[in-house]
Every structure is written in C-alpha cells, then in structure tokens.
Amino acid sequence: MLKLDIPPKYKAAAVQAAPVFLDLDASVDKACALIREAASHGAKLIALPEVFLAGGPYWAWHLPMGRGGAFSAELFRNAVEVPGPVVAMLGQAAREAQAYVVIGVNEREGKTLYNTLLYFSPGGELLGKHRKFRPTGPEKLVWGDGDGSTHEVYDTAVGKLGGLICGEHTMSLPAYTLAAMGEQVHVAAWLGFTLADRSLAEICSRYHAIAHNSYVLCSQLVVGQDVLDRLGLTREQQPVNAWTAIIEAGSGKLLTEPLGWDEEGIVYAEIDLGAAIPKYFIHESTGHYWPKPFSVVFDDRPKAPVRRMTAFPGTSADEEARDQRD
C-alpha cells in the first residue's frame, strides 16, 4: 500500500485521581484498578498523572528542609525501580487492558530519585521511560535531573507517542524536539497543584496541541486529604487545582470537558490522527513552517558520573583497541 497509513480512530482516556500518599503498594493497586476501568470503557491509550506512584514532594514547597527530609526518605522507600516488580505489575495491567499505558512514577536508581514517565505497550512490554529534565523550584531537593537519553517518541499502533512532565511544558525546546521527532499524541502529566491556578496546566497543554499538531492527553493529580493530614497543611496552603482533559491536535479544541478541580475520575475522547492533517498546512514548525535561521542541537547521549577508561596512561581507548586488534 503506497498511500500514508493512518492508524484507525480509537478511544483515549486521561485519569484525574489521587494516589495513596507515600504508599506504593496501595497506589499500585489503585493505578491497576483505574487502568481496568478505562479499558472497560474501550480505551486503547490510558494516561495517568505525574508521580502517581506514590505522590509528589509537596513538603519541599511548604516545609523547612530539615523537616522535609524525613518525607523524602519515606518517598525513597516507596519509589519504583526500573525494571522491577512494580514495572512487571503495571505491564501485566496494560496487557490485561490490551492498551497502551503511560504513568508517572518516582523512580529510584542507586541513591537518587527521578520524576519519570513509564510507557507500556498492550503486550505489557516497557517501551521506555522519560525522566524530567529539571525539577521545578524546591523539587530539586528531592529529584535528580534527567538527560537526553530518555527523551523519545515511540512509534506505536496509536500514533507516534511522546510526553512531558509538568513544568517541562514551559520549556520550549523539549516540546519542539518531540515535534521534530514526529510526535502525534502527547501525554502532559501534571502534579496536583500549580503555582498560580489551574489555568497553567490548561494553557500549556492546549498550547502544545496547537503549536506542535499533537493530540494531548492532559492528566493531573488530585491532592488528597491524606497529603494535608500527613504534612499538617490546610487546603488554603495547598489548594487542589487539577485540570484533566483531552485536546485536539492543531486547534487546541477540548474534545472532552474537564472534571471538577478536586474531582476524581476519567475523561474519554476519540483520537483521529487523520483529522489532524489539515492543521499541518497552517503551522508545521518543524517542516514548511520552520524558520530557517533557527535550529536545535539535541544531545541524546546518557550522562554518567563515572566513565571507565581501560586504556594505559597516555593512550586513548581507541589506540588501545587498535593495539589489541593488531
């Protein structure tokens, strides 16, 4: 078949819910239940919010570092190793749902935590992960920085799939590079509050849909009462400003009305990648609407604190390799 092969229309789901704060086992159970619920409504792509396993570091925004350290340690103990048993459980949930699943987790590697999105196929395989490039504000006290090695678009049966986490949507270049890699469907995963009001998640997510011709599944946490109780906060100190919706590529039109700002639930909408094509001719900024004086250099190499050099002193690894071959 010579003409462009457009994936069929399908139903997508975006989840707005609260995890069980700092309880990994209970949050995994809730995530799997939400995946099953979305699948029962026919969803073939299911997006869950930022760090749904098992909550965000709200203490970094409200408590002195000395007091917050105990909560950071608890988060460390309730974080997810990739690969690991939690990843296997999520993969099983995706396989049973026969759906692509994207979910935010606190990822633990070595002695560091990362804010990470995991991508699963309908077969249950982990397609990959994205680590947030740079934690926002005081979150730097809790999470480490990601690098370009986890910034990717996945070629799937539901379209070319990518995503960003929370404040990354205010960074122009991560979004632009996803567009340049051909992204068609975007997961915008958000924490359960914003610095201003709920309009931040809405504005940034709708802008991504307009500027980059991608359908956007915006999925945001709800801040549960368990967060306030554990941290000794009031609702005035930590408001809930969740905004979850599915947005049309190119136009920014809402395909489903968002839930209430503190309401848990799932929104659904039909994704039709073919319907996005007419929008390409208006502002395809990585192709015919690309302003030629500007280009982006993207370093996708993994960054490591140590590189082992096996060469003898005064020689390069390449020279040693040539010596061994000779």
Side-chain angles (χ1 to χ4, degrees), residues 39-318:
S40 73
H41 287 81
K44 297 303 179 185
L45 171 60
I46 304 167
L48 289 89
E50 176 183 2
V51 291
F52 195 80
L53 306 180
Y58 301 101
W59 55 89
W61 294 91
H62 295 290
L63 301 182
M65 185 176 178
R67 287 182 58 199
F71 291 103
S72 296
E74 190 171 350
L75 184 67
F76 189 89
R77 291 190 291 270
N78 283 272
V80 176
E81 293 187 334
V82 182
V86 171
V87 172
M89 293 173 68
L90 294 171
Q92 176 66 23
R95 182 164 53 249
E96 292 174 355
Q98 287 295 289
Y100 290 91
V101 173
V102 184
I103 181 172
V105 305
N106 287 280
E107 180 195 1
R108 181 178 63 235
E109 182 177 76
K111 300 175 183 177
T112 298
L113 295 182
Y114 298 94
N115 183 342
T116 300
L117 280 180
L118 301 180
Y119 295 80
F120 293 91
S121 77
E125 298 88 4
L126 179 66
L127 297 175
K129 65 184 181 183
H130 169 68
R131 288 175 173 171
K132 188 176 182 182
F133 283 113
R134 186 74 167 154
T136 305
E139 294 169 355
K140 298 177 183 69
L141 299 173
V142 181
W143 291 319
D145 292 354
D147 62 34
S149 68
T150 68
H151 189 54
E152 189 58 83
V153 169
Y154 301 95
D155 197 356
T156 76
V158 295
K160 295 183 183 298
L161 178 63
L164 292 172
I165 302 168
C166 200
E168 288 185 312
H169 290 89
T170 68
M171 303 175 182
S172 300
L173 300 185
Y176 186 82
T177 50
L178 291 177
M181 289 187 273
E183 184 189 61
Q184 296 170 296
V185 184
H186 177 84
V187 173
W190 293 82
L191 206 57
F193 75 106
T194 63
L195 291 175
D197 56 37
R198 63 189 307 214
S199 66
L200 179 64
E202 177 181 0
I203 290 169
C204 290
S205 299
R206 294 179 79 168
Y207 174 78
H208 189 97
I210 295 167
H212 304 303
N213 293 298
S214 290
Y215 282 90
V216 175
L217 279 66
C218 181
S219 176
Q220 191 161 13
L221 282 184
V222 171
V223 179
Q225 186 62 40
D226 53 354
V227 175
L228 306 183
D229 293 342
R230 286 294 310 278
L231 301 182
L233 301 175
T234 66
R235 185 58 72 196
E236 290 70 29
Q237 293 170 298
Q238 178 59 80
V240 179
N241 287 311
W243 190 86
T244 295
I246 300 176
I247 307 162
E248 185 181 58
S251 72
K253 173 185 174 183
L254 296 185
L255 298 179
T256 178
E257 288 300 314
L259 299 167
W261 61 272
D262 60 350
E263 180 183 355
E264 295 197 53
I266 306 175
V267 298
Y268 302 91
E270 182 180 79
I271 301 295
D272 180 2
L273 297 180
I277 293 175
K279 309 296 192 306
Y280 297 170
F281 296 92
I282 301 172
H283 44 66
E284 176 39 52
S285 61
T286 65
H288 62 265
Y289 203 56
W290 162 39
K292 296 303 186 286
F294 303 96
S295 64
V296 174
V297 175
F298 169 46
D299 184 355
D300 65 357
R301 294 172 297 179
K303 302 293 185 284
V306 174
R307 289 194 305 155
R308 293 180 179 270
M309 302 297 291
T310 57
F312 295 110
T315 67
S316 71
D318 288 342

Side-chain angles (χ1 to χ4, degrees), residues 9-41:
K9 300 175 186 178
Y10 62 90
K11 182 180 284 189
V15 174
Q16 179 170 294
V20 183
F21 188 50
L22 298 179
D23 188 330
L24 179 59
D25 292 341
S27 294
V28 170
D29 289 344
K30 186 168 184 177
C32 292
L34 289 164
I35 292 167
R36 287 193 296 270
E37 179 182 347
S40 73
H41 287 81

